Amino acid sequence: MNAESETDRDAWKPPAGVAVVVIGYDDAAHVTDAVRSALAQGPSVREVVAVDDCSTDGSAGLLGRLAASEPRLRVIRRRANSGGCGTPRNTGLDAVTSPYVMFLDSDDVLPPGAVDALLEAAEGAHAEVAGGLCVRRELPSGREVPWQAHLYALHSVVPHPARRPRLVHDTLCVNKLYRTGFLRTHGIRFPEGRFPYEDVVFTARVLAAAPRIALVPDRVYVWHVRRSAGRLSISLDRSGVENWRARTEACRQAYEVLLGAGQKELARAVRAKFLDHDLRMYVRELGLRDAAYRRAWWELTRAHLAEYDADDWARNPAAPGRLIGRVVLASPEPCDLPRLRELAARPARLCPPYARAADGTPVWSDALPVSLEPLRGRPVRALPLAVDAELRPCARGTRLRLRLRLRLHELYGRVAQAGPESVEAEWLHRDVGGVVVRDAAVPLAPCPSGSEPAGTAGSEAVVLAQGPEPAGRAGSRAVALARGAEPAGAVALGPCARGAEPAGAAGTAGTAGTVRGGAWSAEVAVDLAALSALGAGTWDLRLRIRFRDGVSRDVSAHALRGAGLLRRSAVPSVRHGVVLVQPYATHSGALALRVAPGVRGVLSVARARLRRLLH
């Protein structure tokens, strides 16, 4: 009888349970919402360990009162603030008793069903790690952007991380479930103290231990992004160069962890991710910083990139991040920041000038002859095509219109070779996902040669490479297009103000200097009524260029500056009375549009401007 009881007891296993470690510091406004979202996951959550990192705003008291009525909640209050996220997470990890553990930040939430989805995947695949989709929710707008969505498009099991090098791009620790014993057996912990981007190193340590990983398409984490908060999160506060120093150090340690574990391919992938993601993100913001920041950033970046070897640069050598990195390495001082910003955009844009070395090799510029030869072997659908755009509102009778003028640049003969035929413009609402206003595709026509005096072609391109464009110039260099009737989808074509060579002639010269290549132009009639139908909002412009063989390339457009451009206009409207239209250039230089219809829209713009003046 006793023997049978012992056998039965050995065969019985308790249901798997999950611990959720919630960390917070001075976040009384949100921490209880985070904890409740974990408790609301249901019986799969066996325990919630809330670690208060010595808050001074009453957070610990709120958690204590909640714990008094919730037996699954345990509150740990640290006696001294750690200065980062790693130490409190380690404190919580040491305290959990459940077979699985997750991490949650105090200003975020777990959506319903998140734990069950991850737990079912981990148990079903016998995986040490299970990951799911995280969405970044911009507040207060509520706009949601999936994080690394391609990794979580389908249910899948990765038997070894080396089979899916792209895993290094998802450095978050919060959208994953970990087997507690796996972490403890391998001694996997977060960096202690004030160590920004601690999850980058933690994730590398997890991948270095070669876990079996289950991936699910379910939403398992909501990352709240509060850019207007009084105190930005550590990862969002990029205003100081120390943030960049911390990021490069985290990426360096991640590389060393994986290389030390014999995961050479994953280590290479970490460096590729740094170039494609981290470097491009910060380059887009360099123009917002002062000269001292830019010099310090440049020096730090060159020191970090100097550690890369030939294999790191040889992989996908035409990728925008690698081209940017090679330019930074080649110049001891910050240079060509506006042009680098355009190349760092998504999609990337390589704006003029298009220079060549004496032997005809494409190079970055005459002053900085970094080879762009890899672009010649890149398919047209992946080329960093540059399209200039200007947007001018106009009203005709009761119909509201915007006139969008586009100019596609030649790129060392590759564009002419592919044969651009048409362009389709679409406007994506920035705050309401899935809302798109499309315009009919219109033909692209070659710009005639000899449309301006010798020596003036490409002058804007040189300005772009060296500094801001002088006011009043861009408008005079814009595409000169005939005006006529504008039925929906109509296009007017005419001579370009630049492009002193016939389309297709670019890329044939073998002499050094800037290539004054061909170009193609189009004008699209945009219906402003459709853009104003949702009320006040921001729209991002995307273009789809189609070539003669059916291949297409999605691009964004470089916003031209100059007299009459990027200026707010009031357009009469039968429906709204008036529509305020504000074209502007984003941080990456792309054209976007703010629309504010009616009196309410006008008042919202006035209030926003007043807030900026007062602060």
Side-chain angles (χ1 to χ4, degrees):
M1 181 70 176
N2 290 339
E4 289 179 355
S5 298
E6 290 294 333
T7 301
D8 292 342
R9 193 159 39 243
D10 291 340
W12 180 84
K13 293 184 178 180
V18 177
V20 181
V21 174
V22 184
I23 63 166
Y25 168 67
D26 278 359
D27 197 15
H30 308 114
V31 65
T32 54
D33 290 337
V35 170
R36 287 191 174 99
S37 77
L39 294 170
Q41 297 294 310
S44 296
V45 173
R46 182 185 298 177
E47 57 184 333
V48 176
V49 179
V51 181
D52 179 76
D53 202 10
C54 197
S55 296
T56 60
D57 67 345
S59 295
L62 291 174
L63 291 170
R65 288 190 287 276
L66 183 58
S69 60
E70 177 48 71
R72 290 181 295 166
L73 174 59
R74 177 184 175 190
V75 180
I76 300 175
R77 178 170 169 80
R78 290 183 48 79
R79 295 183 179 180
N81 180 257
S82 68
C85 298
T87 297
R89 286 200 186 122
N90 288 336
T91 300
L93 181 58
D94 290 339
V96 303
T97 61
S98 301
Y100 293 94
V101 62
M102 289 183 67
F103 301 99
L104 171 62
D105 290 346
S106 62
D107 53 349
D108 301 330
V109 294
L110 298 179
V115 170
D116 283 341
L118 291 173
L119 182 58
E120 181 180 352
E123 291 278 280
H126 303 287
E128 288 83 16
V129 179
L133 183 65
C134 168
V135 294
R136 291 165 54 104
R137 179 181 292 165
E138 298 275 350
L139 296 175
S141 70
R143 174 183 178 236
E144 292 188 348
V145 179
W147 171 260
Q148 300 294 328
H150 50 279
L151 280 175
Y152 302 104
L154 300 169
H155 288 273
S156 61
V157 177
V158 183
H160 192 289
R163 301 272 189 91
R164 193 78 59 89
R166 187 76 188 184
L167 287 167
V168 303
H169 283 250
D170 184 10
T171 56
L172 299 181
C173 70
V174 289
N175 60 331
K176 300 176 183 70
L177 177 82
Y178 305 92
R179 193 182 293 274
T180 309
F182 164 76
L183 296 180
R184 289 174 176 167
T185 297
H186 293 277
I188 299 172
R189 297 172 67 80
F190 293 89
E192 294 277 350
R194 182 166 181 78
F195 191 103
Y197 307 107
E198 75 294 329
D199 46 358
V200 173
V201 178
F202 177 84
T203 298
R205 291 171 177 171
V206 169
L207 297 178
R212 185 177 176 87
I213 302 174
L215 306 176
V216 300
D218 306 72
R219 287 162 45 112
V220 301
Y221 197 86
V222 179
W223 175 2
H224 286 148
V225 180
R226 298 178 173 89
R227 300 186 189 277
S228 60
R231 187 189 75 211
L232 289 174
S233 66
I234 293 174
S235 61
L236 288 178
D237 188 4
R238 299 194 290 268
S239 58
V241 76
E242 287 305 313
N243 175 276
W244 180 241
R245 187 190 305 274
R247 187 181 283 263
T248 56
E249 177 58 27
C251 292
R252 179 182 292 109
Q253 288 196 26
Y255 171 81
E256 292 173 350
V257 165
L258 289 164
L259 192 64
Q263 304 286 351
K264 189 173 182 179
E265 287 301 311
L266 290 177
R268 295 281 188 203
V270 165
R271 284 185 167 176
K273 174 258 179 187
F274 175 85
L275 293 171
D276 183 63
H277 175 72
D278 304 80
L279 183 63
R280 291 174 71 177
M281 177 170 58
Y282 281 72
V283 165
R284 289 195 295 270
E285 300 175 353
L286 269 183
L288 307 175
R289 313 302 183 197
D290 60 27
Y293 176 100
R294 292 197 293 266
R295 285 193 298 270
W297 183 94
W298 201 269
E299 181 180 350
L300 283 169
T301 305
R302 295 184 80 230
H304 183 71
L305 295 180
E307 299 172 4
Y308 284 35
D309 60 27
D311 280 350
D312 293 319
W313 296 111
R315 299 187 177 204
N316 197 7
R322 281 173 173 77
L323 296 179
I324 293 169
R326 291 171 59 214
V327 170
V328 172
L329 272 179
S331 176
E333 298 291 336
C335 70
D336 293 348
L337 298 186
R339 196 171 181 224
L340 287 172
R341 176 198 65 185
E342 301 279 336
L343 187 55
R346 294 189 183 276
R349 301 182 297 271
L350 180 60
C351 292
Y354 303 122
R356 288 181 181 273
D359 63 357
T361 301
V363 294
W364 177 258
S365 67
D366 297 338
L368 205 64
V370 173
S371 174
L372 301 182
E373 183 67 21
L375 290 176
R376 286 178 165 177
R378 201 164 177 83
V380 69
R381 65 178 179 274
L383 285 174
L385 301 181
V387 179
D388 291 338
E390 63 170 277
L391 189 65
R392 294 182 184 272
C394 64
R396 296 200 172 179
T398 61
R399 302 180 71 185
L400 301 179
R401 294 290 180 186
L402 293 176
R403 207 166 60 243
L404 178 64
R405 294 172 173 178
L406 304 172
R407 184 178 191 273
L408 168 64
H409 291 279
E410 178 58 277
L411 187 62
Y412 296 113
R414 296 299 313 286
V415 179
Q417 183 182 22
E421 292 189 336
S422 66
V423 59
E424 177 183 350
E426 63 179 23
W427 298 88
L428 287 71
H429 199 289
R430 185 171 296 177
D431 296 325
V432 184
V435 175
V436 180
V437 173
R438 290 186 176 87
D439 298 299
V442 297
L444 279 162
C447 296
S449 62
S451 58
E452 60 181 11
T456 60
S459 57
E460 180 192 7
V462 175
V463 172
L464 176 66
Q466 296 179 355
E469 298 152 340
R473 293 280 306 196
S476 63
R477 293 192 301 267
V479 181
L481 299 172
R483 295 184 59 183
E486 292 184 350
V491 58
L493 299 171
C496 286
R498 300 199 306 275
E501 294 179 334
T508 60
T511 58
T514 299
V515 174
R516 295 163 56 192
W520 295 258
S521 65
E523 180 174 307
V524 181
V526 182
D527 191 348
L528 181 55
L531 299 181
S532 58
L534 289 181
T538 300
W539 298 82
D540 291 304
L541 174 64
R542 292 293 183 270
L543 304 171
R544 177 163 296 168
I545 301 171
R546 298 189 184 278
F547 298 88
R548 70 167 67 97
D549 61 357
V551 171
S552 64
R553 170 64 165 143
D554 292 340
V555 301
S556 55
H558 163 65
L560 288 176
R561 303 172 185 270
L565 301 176
L566 306 186
R567 185 176 61 186
R568 182 182 296 124
S569 302
V571 180
S573 165
V574 172
R575 178 179 177 183
H576 302 288
V578 66
V579 177
L580 287 185
V581 178
Q582 172 70 72
Y584 74 99
T586 67
H587 288 340
S588 66
L591 181 67
L593 180 68
R594 296 189 184 98
V595 175
V599 175
R600 183 176 298 179
V602 173
L603 291 176
S604 69
V605 172
R607 285 194 295 268
R609 187 170 185 180
L610 180 60
R611 284 196 298 270
R612 288 195 296 271
L613 292 173
L614 293 177
H615 294 86

